[in-house]
Amino acid sequence: MDVVLEQYLDLNLMGEEFGFVFKGFLETLQLALISGFLALAWGLVLALLRQLPGKPLAPVRFATIAYIDAFRGVPLLLVILIISGSLPFVAEGLGLPRSVGIPQWFGKPDPFWYGVFAITVTYGAYMAEVYRAGIEGVPRGQMEAARSLGMSHGQSMRHVIVPQAVRRVIPPLLNDYIALMKDTSLVGVIALVEVVEAGRTVQAETLNSSALTLGALMFLAVTIPMARIVDRLLAGQQARFTRGAPSSA
Amino acid sequence: MGDTLLELEGVHKRFGDLHVLRGIELAVARGSVVCVIGPSGSGKSTLLRCVNLLEPPDEGRIMLGGRQITGQTEDGVDFVRRRVGMVFQQFNLFPHKSALENLSLAQTSVLGRSAQEADDKSRALLERVGLGDKVHEYPERLSGGQQQRVAIARALAMDPEAMLFDEVTSALDPELIKEVLDVMRELAAEGMTMVVVTHEMTFAREVADKVVFMDEGLIVESGSPEEVLDHPREERTKRFLGLVFEH
């Protein structure tokens, strides 16, 4: 038993390395906050593009579906690698400024921003599907009522459909967000010292995993409360649903 | 009663293999009330939905105020929807907005009225349909009859030249039907042009200038309420009215 405690819960080691691991965790949080915000926005854009009406816009819908299928179907790690490995060359070849190819905005290193791009384009695709479910869950009559009042498709979406859809999909979006937060650890492979990479560095130096356990605890300190919030929101919606919402009848 | 406001010529509508409207000819005079009756599945609702192009017709012409609105141009869609209000069986109020906001939204976003202007207009209309004390209530806190009156006021807020009513009392409990029909009676008395798809024969008899009986996608018979409801010429009309008045 002692060896287990020593390998995973060496409190001395945890104390010594707390600062280093926590610094990595702050990096993780920033990565999750920025890419999470961007993925939420990009996902909504994709969902709206997919819902554009009319025959002339069919190519847009088709391209959006292809995009969503592609990014839902490949591993995030692969996306991180192809972006970080080639974006500098691609940007240079296209004559874009160096700050696009090797972004170091707001004092963050370029692996951070490659991670943000990769997570945004990948999770945007997941979240687009969640939004879509929400949009399609709004009764048809809502769009018809809005259109019959003379509102355009865009106005109807903005004022009538999306506000109702977003309310419905906040719990599943939060679930995706928890998954996104955990997946930020993949950016460690391109040398961003986020919490897992920090723990791994300590592990390599000390041949002891306690710093990684510490990282896990930091994750849980954020993800468990979020999971509880999701549960509570879902329970609230369930109660509303069983009570019956006469307005949506 | 004056000139013809709304005119349908040879209107056809198909949903896949289903031929729902099979050549509709109908003229609605300005200021008149036309009640459309008929068995379910006869195409009554589709007829209304074609008029404001929620369902664009496959064939035929629809004229509004002398202007053709069919022909797939977005112009026609805007033109008709700004001039013709629609009220639905299921109310379709926006559940995330208060009664007042339900009325104001399209006024500001479509007509470009100022928030104040829209607000004043909305309050006056809610007052007029007897809901002056409910302006800030959300739809789920209102009864079906109240919701439907809000929906009528919402359509009126756009200052339409004509109103379409699609079985607006069919989803209501019996004791709530009267308050909605009363609003519609008043509207008719004020000279609003109305096309009303309804099962309320008493209402049709009392308010309609013209009653239209539809069956299987065609207008079988039309005329004054006395002609169609009391002295129907067509066998199908007689059979339908027999079934309706039986219970």
Side-chain angles (χ1 to χ4, degrees):
Chain A
M1 248 341 255
D2 281 357
V3 65
V4 174
L5 285 178
E6 193 193 313
Q7 269 298 313
Y8 294 114
L9 285 168
D10 183 333
L11 294 179
N12 279 334
L13 182 70
M14 284 174 158
E16 277 167 29
E17 300 294 346
F18 184 87
F20 181 62
V21 174
F22 189 67
K23 201 165 155 256
F25 188 61
L26 288 180
E27 200 77 8
T28 295
L29 282 181
Q30 291 175 33
L31 192 55
L33 279 175
I34 295 173
S35 51
F37 174 77
L38 293 174
L40 280 169
W42 179 227
L44 182 57
V45 170
L46 290 170
L48 291 174
L49 288 176
R50 195 179 173 151
Q51 300 287 336
L52 286 174
K55 254 192 199 131
L57 294 170
V60 177
R61 289 195 295 273
F62 181 79
T64 310
I65 292 169
Y67 172 97
I68 292 171
D69 283 350
F71 280 96
R72 281 204 309 162
V74 297
L76 174 58
L77 177 58
L78 188 151
V79 179
I80 292 171
L81 291 173
I82 59 175
I83 288 182
S84 66
S86 292
L87 189 62
F89 305 121
V90 171
E92 198 184 348
L94 294 176
L96 296 169
R98 196 182 137 80
S99 64
V100 173
I102 308 177
Q104 293 175 332
W105 310 325
F106 303 106
K108 288 278 161 202
D110 46 311
F112 181 90
W113 293 110
Y114 295 142
V116 167
F117 296 159
I119 295 169
T120 301
V121 296
T122 304
Y123 269 86
Y126 290 123
M127 290 178 174
E129 288 296 281
V130 175
Y131 283 118
R132 174 165 79 116
I135 289 170
E136 289 177 355
V138 176
R140 239 175 85 109
Q142 291 289 310
M143 180 58 106
E144 292 183 346
R147 297 305 303 271
S148 76
L149 288 166
M151 294 167 74
S152 66
H153 175 86
Q155 287 173 329
S156 308
M157 274 289 176
R158 176 169 157 220
H159 297 296
V160 176
I161 306 299
V162 170
Q164 294 182 59
V166 167
R167 267 164 237 216
R168 287 159 190 253
V169 297
I170 286 173
L173 282 178
L174 273 175
N175 269 335
D176 269 6
Y177 188 74
I178 292 172
L180 177 152
M181 193 171 171
K182 294 187 295 177
D183 272 355
T184 55
S185 62
L186 291 169
V187 187
V189 301
I190 54 171
L192 180 75
V193 187
E194 42 68 63
V195 64
V196 177
E197 189 57 24
R200 222 161 74 97
T201 309
V202 178
Q203 184 190 40
E205 285 167 2
T206 60
L207 302 179
N208 183 300
S209 297
S210 299
L212 281 168
T213 311
L214 185 60
L217 293 173
M218 290 177 184
F219 263 114
L220 293 176
V222 177
T223 51
I224 288 179
M226 282 178 69
R228 286 293 87 79
I229 292 172
V230 173
D231 289 348
R232 192 166 296 181
L233 289 172
L234 283 174
Q237 284 189 352
Q238 195 65 37
R240 247 181 108 97
F241 187 68
T242 42
R243 241 194 298 129
S247 54
S248 62
Chain B
M1 214 167 300
D3 53 328
T4 301
L5 178 61
L6 184 65
E7 197 165 10
L8 286 77
E9 293 171 6
V11 169
H12 285 257
K13 180 69 188 177
R14 292 180 189 81
F15 295 113
D17 288 339
L18 210 59
H19 201 162
V20 183
L21 297 181
R22 302 189 298 155
I24 297 289
E25 312 279 337
L26 179 67
V28 180
R30 194 183 294 274
S32 73
V33 176
V34 174
C35 283
V36 183
I37 61 171
S40 60
S42 57
K44 311 183 296 287
S45 291
T46 307
L47 172 69
L48 281 196
R49 296 163 63 85
C50 278
V51 168
N52 79 347
L53 301 180
L54 277 179
E55 306 286 358
D58 296 320
E59 276 174 55
R61 296 202 309 167
I62 300 179
M63 315 281 289
L64 177 67
R67 187 188 144 158
Q68 182 168 348
I69 56 169
T70 40
Q72 304 287 14
T73 60
E74 276 300 308
D75 271 9
V77 171
D78 285 345
F79 184 81
V80 65
R81 292 199 184 140
R82 284 184 185 209
R83 285 165 182 78
V84 177
M86 177 132 179
V87 186
F88 301 85
Q89 182 177 353
Q90 299 293 348
F91 329 140
N92 295 344
L93 291 184
F94 307 135
H96 59 301
K97 296 197 175 287
S98 69
L100 188 73
E101 292 164 342
N102 261 278
L103 267 66
S104 297
L105 176 58
Q107 293 184 61
T108 51
S109 63
V110 177
L111 301 180
R113 287 182 185 148
S114 72
Q116 188 59 48
E117 235 179 313
D119 203 89
D120 292 345
K121 175 110 188 165
S122 305
R123 281 173 194 278
L125 278 166
L126 286 169
E127 192 73 47
R128 186 171 146 196
V129 298
L131 295 171
D133 55 336
K134 304 282 188 196
V135 286
H136 295 302
E137 291 288 2
Y138 282 81
E140 67 171 1
R141 302 271 312 248
L142 300 172
S143 74
Q146 291 170 336
Q147 288 193 52
Q148 196 59 295
R149 285 186 279 153
V150 173
I152 294 172
R154 180 174 69 178
L156 290 174
M158 307 302 284
D159 293 324
E161 290 177 39
M163 290 276 284
L164 310 175
F165 295 86
D166 188 7
E167 297 194 29
V168 296
T169 56
S170 296
L172 295 176
D173 292 334
E175 75 272 20
L176 302 177
I177 291 177
K178 183 174 177 296
E179 64 190 54
V180 173
L181 292 183
D182 282 346
V183 169
M184 291 165 66
R185 280 190 189 96
E186 235 172 84
L187 211 50
E190 288 164 17
M192 174 63 76
T193 310
M194 295 163 58
V195 182
V196 185
V197 169
T198 187
H199 295 296
E200 299 290 334
M201 297 301 159
T202 321
F203 176 82
R205 187 188 303 275
E206 180 193 337
V207 177
D209 299 293
K210 174 151 95 175
V211 173
V212 170
F213 173 71
M214 275 183 76
D215 194 19
E216 294 182 343
L218 283 169
I219 292 179
V220 176
E221 173 160 10
S222 74
S224 69
E226 295 76 36
E227 286 169 342
V228 177
L229 298 177
D230 298 332
H231 309 288
R233 293 180 307 262
E234 300 290 331
E235 206 42 52
R236 276 190 285 181
T237 319
K238 287 177 189 165
R239 212 179 317 132
F240 172 75
L241 291 172
L243 289 170
V244 170
F245 289 126
E246 217 166 66
H247 68 257

